[in-house]
Amino acid sequence: MEIILSKDCRSFTGTISRSHGYCIRRVGNRFFSKRNTNAPVTPDGHWRFILAIAHLAPSNLVVADIRIRGTEIFDALYEADYPFSALDIVETGAVYNATDILKLEKRLTPFLSAK
């Protein structure tokens, strides 16, 4: 997942929460999520990290947007043990942004109660 910073933010790296098991790293002038190899990752950690970053975007204080492939979303939901009917919602060939992720989160809410 690529994290697009707001125009007022120069850098945003490191861990935003130890519970996710993911961090943000800088590659050149771009920022990407990375699985933290030094900490355990809960099954839903990847999906919760994606949501956490997507929820930062509407304020536009640090994060302006994200770019994430549908395949990464699919993998995160699969790891989090979402039912296959939930995975069918994800378009694996698409590229999602923060707004798309927040909409997807709402669509997936009924599947949480089924777990």
Side-chain angles (χ1 to χ4, degrees):
M1 170 174 66
E2 181 176 5
I3 296 128
I4 302 157
L5 302 184
S6 71
K7 63 179 179 151
D8 298 323
C9 184
R10 290 184 184 183
S11 183
F12 185 52
T13 60
T15 303
I16 61 170
S17 171
R18 292 179 188 215
S19 69
H20 298 132
Y22 281 78
C23 62
I24 301 168
R25 67 181 179 135
R26 182 181 196 144
V27 178
N29 290 326
R30 298 165 70 187
F31 298 85
F32 296 91
S33 63
K34 179 185 182 305
R35 189 176 198 122
N36 188 346
T37 57
N38 298 327
V41 179
T42 60
D44 66 343
H46 191 182
W47 175 239
R48 288 186 306 108
F49 180 78
I50 293 167
L51 290 176
I53 300 296
H55 278 278
L56 290 174
S59 68
N60 202 28
L61 293 174
V62 177
V63 175
D65 207 353
I66 62 173
R67 280 191 206 111
I68 182 169
R69 295 188 182 277
T71 53
E72 184 175 347
I73 297 166
F74 182 93
D75 291 344
L77 293 173
Y78 181 79
E79 291 167 9
D81 200 28
Y82 272 78
F84 284 108
S85 52
L87 301 177
D88 287 341
I89 294 173
V90 179
E91 295 179 37
T92 55
V95 175
Y96 289 75
N97 63 25
T99 303
D100 297 331
I101 294 298
L102 298 177
K103 289 177 185 175
L104 182 61
E105 179 185 29
K106 287 182 182 179
R107 289 183 65 193
L108 291 170
T109 301
F111 296 100
L112 289 176
S113 60
K115 286 176 72 176

